[in-house]
mmCIF file of all heavy atoms in Angstrom:
data_model
loop_
_atom_site.group_PDB
_atom_site.id
_atom_site.type_symbol
_atom_site.label_atom_id
_atom_site.label_comp_id
_atom_site.label_asym_id
_atom_site.label_seq_id
_atom_site.Cartn_x
_atom_site.Cartn_y
_atom_site.Cartn_z
ATOM 1 N N VAL A 126 -16.613 8.415 1.293
ATOM 2 C CA VAL A 126 -17.988 8.229 1.621
ATOM 3 C C VAL A 126 -18.228 6.799 2.142
ATOM 4 O O VAL A 126 -18.848 6.492 3.230
ATOM 5 C CB VAL A 126 -18.917 8.504 0.508
ATOM 6 C CG1 VAL A 126 -20.364 8.128 0.813
ATOM 7 C CG2 VAL A 126 -18.802 10.009 0.261
ATOM 8 N N LEU A 127 -17.563 5.833 1.365
ATOM 9 C CA LEU A 127 -17.719 4.442 1.819
ATOM 10 C C LEU A 127 -17.201 4.067 3.178
ATOM 11 O O LEU A 127 -17.735 3.530 4.004
ATOM 12 C CB LEU A 127 -16.932 3.490 0.767
ATOM 13 C CG LEU A 127 -16.995 1.931 0.946
ATOM 14 C CD1 LEU A 127 -18.466 1.645 0.633
ATOM 15 C CD2 LEU A 127 -16.047 1.330 0.011
ATOM 16 N N ALA A 128 -16.015 4.769 3.546
ATOM 17 C CA ALA A 128 -15.410 4.597 4.746
ATOM 18 C C ALA A 128 -16.299 5.194 5.866
ATOM 19 O O ALA A 128 -16.442 4.600 7.002
ATOM 20 C CB ALA A 128 -14.005 5.207 4.766
ATOM 21 N N HIS A 129 -16.832 6.466 5.601
ATOM 22 C CA HIS A 129 -17.738 7.028 6.563
ATOM 23 C C HIS A 129 -18.811 6.124 6.834
ATOM 24 O O HIS A 129 -19.359 5.967 8.030
ATOM 25 C CB HIS A 129 -18.155 8.458 6.114
ATOM 26 C CG HIS A 129 -16.945 9.411 6.201
ATOM 27 N ND1 HIS A 129 -16.180 9.608 7.269
ATOM 28 C CD2 HIS A 129 -16.633 10.512 5.353
ATOM 29 C CE1 HIS A 129 -15.304 10.544 6.887
ATOM 30 N NE2 HIS A 129 -15.597 11.071 5.865
ATOM 31 N N ARG A 130 -19.480 5.680 5.751
ATOM 32 C CA ARG A 130 -20.653 4.863 6.014
ATOM 33 C C ARG A 130 -20.443 3.602 6.802
ATOM 34 O O ARG A 130 -21.266 3.163 7.627
ATOM 35 C CB ARG A 130 -21.318 4.419 4.631
ATOM 36 C CG ARG A 130 -22.828 4.280 4.683
ATOM 37 C CD ARG A 130 -23.349 2.927 4.199
ATOM 38 N NE ARG A 130 -22.449 2.128 3.582
ATOM 39 C CZ ARG A 130 -22.556 1.418 2.558
ATOM 40 N NH1 ARG A 130 -23.644 1.615 1.847
ATOM 41 N NH2 ARG A 130 -21.616 0.548 2.245
ATOM 42 N N LYS A 131 -19.155 3.032 6.663
ATOM 43 C CA LYS A 131 -18.792 1.861 7.458
ATOM 44 C C LYS A 131 -18.758 2.147 8.843
ATOM 45 O O LYS A 131 -18.995 1.425 9.666
ATOM 46 C CB LYS A 131 -17.620 1.327 6.772
ATOM 47 C CG LYS A 131 -17.100 0.060 7.296
ATOM 48 C CD LYS A 131 -15.849 -0.453 6.446
ATOM 49 C CE LYS A 131 -15.225 -1.666 7.255
ATOM 50 N NZ LYS A 131 -14.026 -2.019 6.626
ATOM 51 N N PHE A 132 -18.045 3.350 9.165
ATOM 52 C CA PHE A 132 -17.687 3.595 10.438
ATOM 53 C C PHE A 132 -18.679 4.313 11.327
ATOM 54 O O PHE A 132 -18.748 4.299 12.548
ATOM 55 C CB PHE A 132 -16.361 4.235 10.611
ATOM 56 C CG PHE A 132 -15.283 3.276 10.305
ATOM 57 C CD1 PHE A 132 -14.674 3.033 8.965
ATOM 58 C CD2 PHE A 132 -14.665 2.416 11.292
ATOM 59 C CE1 PHE A 132 -13.792 2.090 8.812
ATOM 60 C CE2 PHE A 132 -13.742 1.509 11.144
ATOM 61 C CZ PHE A 132 -13.279 1.364 9.771
ATOM 62 N N VAL A 133 -19.421 5.328 10.653
ATOM 63 C CA VAL A 133 -20.465 6.027 11.311
ATOM 64 C C VAL A 133 -21.901 5.942 10.552
ATOM 65 O O VAL A 133 -22.343 6.917 9.947
ATOM 66 C CB VAL A 133 -20.205 7.552 11.518
ATOM 67 C CG1 VAL A 133 -19.326 7.684 12.823
ATOM 68 C CG2 VAL A 133 -19.317 8.118 10.312
ATOM 69 N N PRO A 134 -22.334 4.610 10.358
ATOM 70 C CA PRO A 134 -23.510 4.416 9.560
ATOM 71 C C PRO A 134 -24.662 5.234 10.049
ATOM 72 O O PRO A 134 -25.478 5.778 9.113
ATOM 73 C CB PRO A 134 -23.748 2.928 9.737
ATOM 74 C CG PRO A 134 -22.978 2.555 10.890
ATOM 75 C CD PRO A 134 -21.849 3.390 11.069
ATOM 76 N N GLY A 135 -24.790 5.520 11.306
ATOM 77 C CA GLY A 135 -25.987 6.169 11.797
ATOM 78 C C GLY A 135 -26.181 7.728 11.428
ATOM 79 O O GLY A 135 -27.176 8.342 11.428
ATOM 80 N N LEU A 136 -24.916 8.243 11.013
ATOM 81 C CA LEU A 136 -25.050 9.724 10.594
ATOM 82 C C LEU A 136 -24.895 9.913 9.108
ATOM 83 O O LEU A 136 -24.817 11.018 8.650
ATOM 84 C CB LEU A 136 -23.770 10.404 11.399
ATOM 85 C CG LEU A 136 -23.879 10.338 12.941
ATOM 86 C CD1 LEU A 136 -22.663 11.077 13.507
ATOM 87 C CD2 LEU A 136 -25.100 11.106 13.472
ATOM 88 N N CYS A 137 -24.755 8.781 8.423
ATOM 89 C CA CYS A 137 -24.550 8.933 6.948
ATOM 90 C C CYS A 137 -25.812 8.569 6.250
ATOM 91 O O CYS A 137 -25.980 7.397 6.071
ATOM 92 C CB CYS A 137 -23.429 8.055 6.519
ATOM 93 S SG CYS A 137 -21.720 8.488 7.111
ATOM 94 N N TYR A 138 -26.435 9.516 5.733
ATOM 95 C CA TYR A 138 -27.778 9.236 5.033
ATOM 96 C C TYR A 138 -27.628 9.641 3.604
ATOM 97 O O TYR A 138 -27.939 8.920 2.606
ATOM 98 C CB TYR A 138 -28.973 9.804 5.700
ATOM 99 C CG TYR A 138 -30.217 9.417 5.117
ATOM 100 C CD1 TYR A 138 -30.628 8.063 5.283
ATOM 101 C CD2 TYR A 138 -31.045 10.236 4.251
ATOM 102 C CE1 TYR A 138 -32.032 7.699 4.686
ATOM 103 C CE2 TYR A 138 -32.185 9.781 3.717
ATOM 104 C CZ TYR A 138 -32.647 8.495 3.943
ATOM 105 O OH TYR A 138 -33.811 8.148 3.451
ATOM 106 N N SER A 139 -27.149 10.857 3.282
ATOM 107 C CA SER A 139 -26.994 11.376 2.114
ATOM 108 C C SER A 139 -25.808 12.366 1.941
ATOM 109 O O SER A 139 -25.208 12.700 2.949
ATOM 110 C CB SER A 139 -28.323 12.074 1.528
ATOM 111 O OG SER A 139 -28.678 13.061 2.499
ATOM 112 N N VAL A 140 -25.354 12.664 0.784
ATOM 113 C CA VAL A 140 -24.083 13.292 0.517
ATOM 114 C C VAL A 140 -24.201 14.273 -0.567
ATOM 115 O O VAL A 140 -24.936 13.981 -1.556
ATOM 116 C CB VAL A 140 -22.957 12.343 0.293
ATOM 117 C CG1 VAL A 140 -21.639 13.105 0.090
ATOM 118 C CG2 VAL A 140 -22.773 11.350 1.277
ATOM 119 N N LYS A 141 -23.614 15.454 -0.421
ATOM 120 C CA LYS A 141 -23.354 16.393 -1.496
ATOM 121 C C LYS A 141 -21.912 16.374 -1.920
ATOM 122 O O LYS A 141 -21.102 16.371 -0.993
ATOM 123 C CB LYS A 141 -23.853 17.848 -1.079
ATOM 124 C CG LYS A 141 -25.294 18.038 -0.802
ATOM 125 C CD LYS A 141 -25.589 19.613 -0.502
ATOM 126 C CE LYS A 141 -27.165 19.634 -0.495
ATOM 127 N NZ LYS A 141 -27.368 21.207 -0.240
ATOM 128 N N VAL A 142 -21.696 16.422 -3.086
ATOM 129 C CA VAL A 142 -20.371 16.236 -3.623
ATOM 130 C C VAL A 142 -20.033 17.375 -4.552
ATOM 131 O O VAL A 142 -20.813 17.732 -5.449
ATOM 132 C CB VAL A 142 -20.225 14.870 -4.507
ATOM 133 C CG1 VAL A 142 -19.009 14.887 -5.186
ATOM 134 C CG2 VAL A 142 -20.409 13.693 -3.496
ATOM 135 N N GLY A 143 -18.731 17.992 -4.421
ATOM 136 C CA GLY A 143 -18.350 18.977 -5.283
ATOM 137 C C GLY A 143 -16.960 18.560 -5.807
ATOM 138 O O GLY A 143 -15.951 18.597 -4.981
ATOM 139 N N VAL A 144 -16.881 18.056 -7.060
ATOM 140 C CA VAL A 144 -15.620 17.779 -7.482
ATOM 141 C C VAL A 144 -14.692 18.909 -7.825
ATOM 142 O O VAL A 144 -15.100 20.005 -8.460
ATOM 143 C CB VAL A 144 -15.692 16.841 -8.845
ATOM 144 C CG1 VAL A 144 -14.408 16.585 -9.410
ATOM 145 C CG2 VAL A 144 -16.464 15.542 -8.551
ATOM 146 N N VAL A 145 -13.450 18.907 -7.366
ATOM 147 C CA VAL A 145 -12.491 20.032 -7.723
ATOM 148 C C VAL A 145 -11.600 19.575 -8.924
ATOM 149 O O VAL A 145 -10.968 18.625 -8.775
ATOM 150 C CB VAL A 145 -11.672 20.300 -6.418
ATOM 151 C CG1 VAL A 145 -10.692 21.340 -6.812
ATOM 152 C CG2 VAL A 145 -12.651 20.857 -5.356
ATOM 153 N N ASP A 146 -11.615 20.356 -9.901
ATOM 154 C CA ASP A 146 -10.998 19.924 -11.230
ATOM 155 C C ASP A 146 -9.413 19.928 -11.026
ATOM 156 O O ASP A 146 -8.853 18.976 -11.511
ATOM 157 C CB ASP A 146 -11.361 20.906 -12.282
ATOM 158 C CG ASP A 146 -12.817 20.681 -12.702
ATOM 159 O OD1 ASP A 146 -13.207 19.527 -12.577
ATOM 160 O OD2 ASP A 146 -13.483 21.564 -13.258
ATOM 161 N N GLU A 147 -8.805 21.016 -10.390
ATOM 162 C CA GLU A 147 -7.349 20.969 -10.373
ATOM 163 C C GLU A 147 -7.108 20.814 -8.773
ATOM 164 O O GLU A 147 -6.951 21.780 -8.192
ATOM 165 C CB GLU A 147 -6.695 22.129 -10.979
ATOM 166 C CG GLU A 147 -6.760 21.942 -12.500
ATOM 167 C CD GLU A 147 -6.267 23.233 -13.211
ATOM 168 O OE1 GLU A 147 -5.229 23.792 -12.765
ATOM 169 O OE2 GLU A 147 -6.696 23.612 -14.198
ATOM 170 N N PRO A 148 -7.119 19.613 -8.347
ATOM 171 C CA PRO A 148 -7.115 19.383 -6.872
ATOM 172 C C PRO A 148 -5.874 19.616 -6.214
ATOM 173 O O PRO A 148 -5.290 18.631 -5.630
ATOM 174 C CB PRO A 148 -7.689 18.059 -6.720
ATOM 175 C CG PRO A 148 -7.172 17.333 -7.960
ATOM 176 C CD PRO A 148 -7.103 18.209 -9.044
ATOM 177 N N ASP A 149 -5.229 20.723 -6.305
ATOM 178 C CA ASP A 149 -4.001 20.911 -5.462
ATOM 179 C C ASP A 149 -4.555 21.285 -4.149
ATOM 180 O O ASP A 149 -5.743 21.455 -3.816
ATOM 181 C CB ASP A 149 -3.108 21.897 -6.089
ATOM 182 C CG ASP A 149 -3.655 23.356 -6.143
ATOM 183 O OD1 ASP A 149 -4.907 23.454 -5.787
ATOM 184 O OD2 ASP A 149 -2.947 24.132 -6.725
ATOM 185 N N ARG A 150 -3.573 21.414 -3.132
ATOM 186 C CA ARG A 150 -3.927 21.811 -1.729
ATOM 187 C C ARG A 150 -4.751 23.008 -1.628
ATOM 188 O O ARG A 150 -5.799 23.027 -0.862
ATOM 189 C CB ARG A 150 -2.560 21.867 -1.130
ATOM 190 C CG ARG A 150 -2.849 22.429 0.296
ATOM 191 C CD ARG A 150 -1.380 22.767 0.882
ATOM 192 N NE ARG A 150 -1.451 23.635 1.938
ATOM 193 C CZ ARG A 150 -0.510 24.109 2.677
ATOM 194 N NH1 ARG A 150 0.725 23.861 2.368
ATOM 195 N NH2 ARG A 150 -0.675 25.033 3.666
ATOM 196 N N THR A 151 -4.317 23.944 -2.378
ATOM 197 C CA THR A 151 -5.071 25.295 -2.356
ATOM 198 C C THR A 151 -6.546 25.191 -2.661
ATOM 199 O O THR A 151 -7.459 25.684 -2.071
ATOM 200 C CB THR A 151 -4.354 26.414 -3.074
ATOM 201 O OG1 THR A 151 -2.884 26.175 -2.993
ATOM 202 C CG2 THR A 151 -4.850 27.710 -2.698
ATOM 203 N N ALA A 152 -6.648 24.511 -3.907
ATOM 204 C CA ALA A 152 -8.091 24.376 -4.527
ATOM 205 C C ALA A 152 -8.898 23.649 -3.533
ATOM 206 O O ALA A 152 -10.246 23.952 -3.263
ATOM 207 C CB ALA A 152 -7.936 23.845 -5.897
ATOM 208 N N LEU A 153 -8.382 22.517 -3.010
ATOM 209 C CA LEU A 153 -9.217 21.701 -2.056
ATOM 210 C C LEU A 153 -9.688 22.488 -0.869
ATOM 211 O O LEU A 153 -10.844 22.505 -0.338
ATOM 212 C CB LEU A 153 -8.531 20.496 -1.793
ATOM 213 C CG LEU A 153 -8.526 19.309 -2.857
ATOM 214 C CD1 LEU A 153 -7.484 18.170 -2.393
ATOM 215 C CD2 LEU A 153 -9.911 18.819 -3.067
ATOM 216 N N THR A 154 -8.669 23.148 -0.355
ATOM 217 C CA THR A 154 -8.919 23.896 0.864
ATOM 218 C C THR A 154 -9.889 25.039 0.659
ATOM 219 O O THR A 154 -10.880 25.245 1.430
ATOM 220 C CB THR A 154 -7.593 24.619 1.416
ATOM 221 O OG1 THR A 154 -6.700 23.483 1.580
ATOM 222 C CG2 THR A 154 -7.749 25.286 2.728
ATOM 223 N N GLN A 155 -9.809 25.688 -0.537
ATOM 224 C CA GLN A 155 -10.691 26.769 -0.920
ATOM 225 C C GLN A 155 -12.124 26.138 -1.051
ATOM 226 O O GLN A 155 -13.077 26.900 -0.577
ATOM 227 C CB GLN A 155 -10.292 27.454 -2.192
ATOM 228 C CG GLN A 155 -9.038 28.405 -2.048
ATOM 229 C CD GLN A 155 -9.301 29.623 -1.144
ATOM 230 O OE1 GLN A 155 -10.586 29.922 -0.971
ATOM 231 N NE2 GLN A 155 -8.348 30.290 -0.859
ATOM 232 N N ALA A 156 -12.231 25.146 -1.655
ATOM 233 C CA ALA A 156 -13.594 24.511 -1.856
ATOM 234 C C ALA A 156 -14.189 24.167 -0.538
ATOM 235 O O ALA A 156 -15.317 24.423 -0.265
ATOM 236 C CB ALA A 156 -13.260 23.224 -2.602
ATOM 237 N N TRP A 157 -13.375 23.604 0.316
ATOM 238 C CA TRP A 157 -13.935 23.277 1.716
ATOM 239 C C TRP A 157 -14.315 24.581 2.496
ATOM 240 O O TRP A 157 -15.397 24.586 3.036
ATOM 241 C CB TRP A 157 -12.753 22.516 2.476
ATOM 242 C CG TRP A 157 -13.229 22.283 3.882
ATOM 243 C CD1 TRP A 157 -13.992 21.177 4.304
ATOM 244 C CD2 TRP A 157 -12.836 22.846 5.084
ATOM 245 N NE1 TRP A 157 -14.163 21.127 5.533
ATOM 246 C CE2 TRP A 157 -13.506 22.213 6.095
ATOM 247 C CE3 TRP A 157 -12.057 24.016 5.250
ATOM 248 C CZ2 TRP A 157 -13.310 22.609 7.456
ATOM 249 C CZ3 TRP A 157 -12.019 24.441 6.608
ATOM 250 C CH2 TRP A 157 -12.491 23.692 7.707
ATOM 251 N N LYS A 158 -13.472 25.536 2.306
ATOM 252 C CA LYS A 158 -13.767 26.785 3.173
ATOM 253 C C LYS A 158 -15.007 27.385 2.550
ATOM 254 O O LYS A 158 -15.823 27.991 3.297
ATOM 255 C CB LYS A 158 -12.579 27.755 2.774
ATOM 256 C CG LYS A 158 -11.571 27.685 3.912
ATOM 257 C CD LYS A 158 -10.739 29.025 3.831
ATOM 258 C CE LYS A 158 -9.271 28.746 4.177
ATOM 259 N NZ LYS A 158 -8.415 29.865 3.865
ATOM 260 N N SER A 159 -15.219 27.438 1.239
ATOM 261 C CA SER A 159 -16.351 28.130 0.827
ATOM 262 C C SER A 159 -17.635 27.306 1.244
ATOM 263 O O SER A 159 -18.597 27.979 1.591
ATOM 264 C CB SER A 159 -16.267 28.139 -0.815
ATOM 265 O OG SER A 159 -16.636 26.936 -1.390
ATOM 266 N N TRP A 160 -17.620 26.002 1.280
ATOM 267 C CA TRP A 160 -18.827 25.268 1.673
ATOM 268 C C TRP A 160 -19.000 25.505 3.149
ATOM 269 O O TRP A 160 -20.083 25.752 3.674
ATOM 270 C CB TRP A 160 -18.722 23.780 1.385
ATOM 271 C CG TRP A 160 -19.138 23.464 -0.043
ATOM 272 C CD1 TRP A 160 -19.226 24.344 -1.012
ATOM 273 C CD2 TRP A 160 -19.584 22.230 -0.460
ATOM 274 N NE1 TRP A 160 -19.675 23.633 -2.153
ATOM 275 C CE2 TRP A 160 -19.850 22.303 -1.739
ATOM 276 C CE3 TRP A 160 -19.658 20.860 0.166
ATOM 277 C CZ2 TRP A 160 -20.354 21.276 -2.646
ATOM 278 C CZ3 TRP A 160 -20.084 19.822 -0.591
ATOM 279 C CH2 TRP A 160 -20.421 20.084 -2.066
ATOM 280 N N MET A 161 -17.851 25.498 3.893
ATOM 281 C CA MET A 161 -18.107 25.714 5.394
ATOM 282 C C MET A 161 -18.589 27.175 5.545
ATOM 283 O O MET A 161 -19.479 27.441 6.521
ATOM 284 C CB MET A 161 -16.712 25.566 6.036
ATOM 285 C CG MET A 161 -16.283 24.181 6.142
ATOM 286 S SD MET A 161 -17.258 23.080 7.322
ATOM 287 C CE MET A 161 -16.652 23.722 8.875
ATOM 288 N N GLU A 162 -18.012 28.065 5.023
ATOM 289 C CA GLU A 162 -18.446 29.499 5.184
ATOM 290 C C GLU A 162 -20.048 29.659 4.902
ATOM 291 O O GLU A 162 -20.695 30.432 5.553
ATOM 292 C CB GLU A 162 -17.600 30.443 4.399
ATOM 293 C CG GLU A 162 -16.125 30.543 4.971
ATOM 294 C CD GLU A 162 -15.257 31.287 4.075
ATOM 295 O OE1 GLU A 162 -15.570 31.931 3.104
ATOM 296 O OE2 GLU A 162 -14.011 31.179 4.247
ATOM 297 N N GLU A 163 -20.270 29.093 3.686
ATOM 298 C CA GLU A 163 -21.730 29.134 3.257
ATOM 299 C C GLU A 163 -22.633 28.546 4.312
ATOM 300 O O GLU A 163 -23.672 29.123 4.734
ATOM 301 C CB GLU A 163 -21.903 28.388 1.976
ATOM 302 C CG GLU A 163 -23.309 28.521 1.372
ATOM 303 C CD GLU A 163 -23.569 27.727 0.195
ATOM 304 O OE1 GLU A 163 -22.562 27.427 -0.543
ATOM 305 O OE2 GLU A 163 -24.739 27.350 -0.085
ATOM 306 N N HIS A 164 -22.196 27.464 4.941
ATOM 307 C CA HIS A 164 -23.150 26.791 5.789
ATOM 308 C C HIS A 164 -23.078 27.510 7.142
ATOM 309 O O HIS A 164 -24.129 27.822 7.710
ATOM 310 C CB HIS A 164 -22.654 25.339 6.130
ATOM 311 C CG HIS A 164 -23.336 24.619 7.236
ATOM 312 N ND1 HIS A 164 -24.694 24.181 6.891
ATOM 313 C CD2 HIS A 164 -23.105 24.358 8.462
ATOM 314 C CE1 HIS A 164 -25.199 23.511 8.151
ATOM 315 N NE2 HIS A 164 -24.204 23.707 9.037
ATOM 316 N N ILE A 165 -22.088 28.107 7.511
ATOM 317 C CA ILE A 165 -21.968 28.825 8.928
ATOM 318 C C ILE A 165 -22.758 30.142 8.504
ATOM 319 O O ILE A 165 -23.469 30.580 9.484
ATOM 320 C CB ILE A 165 -20.499 29.062 9.293
ATOM 321 C CG1 ILE A 165 -19.890 27.763 9.555
ATOM 322 C CG2 ILE A 165 -20.438 30.065 10.443
ATOM 323 C CD1 ILE A 165 -18.283 27.960 9.779
ATOM 324 N N GLY A 166 -22.616 30.730 7.429
ATOM 325 C CA GLY A 166 -23.254 31.900 7.061
ATOM 326 C C GLY A 166 -24.700 31.760 7.179
ATOM 327 O O GLY A 166 -25.547 32.562 7.647
#
Side-chain angles (χ1 to χ4, degrees):
Chain A
V126 172
L127 184 67
H129 287 319
R130 208 231 1 219
K131 186 172 167 194
F132 286 91
V133 275
L136 296 177
C137 295
Y138 188 73
S139 51
V140 180
K141 289 186 179 183
V142 168
V144 172
V145 175
D146 286 334
E147 286 176 33
D149 62 3
R150 168 193 163 179
T151 318
L153 283 171
T154 306
Q155 285 292 345
W157 178 81
K158 268 195 210 169
S159 75
W160 276 22
M161 287 291 284
E162 288 170 13
E163 184 187 336
H164 179 74
I165 294 165

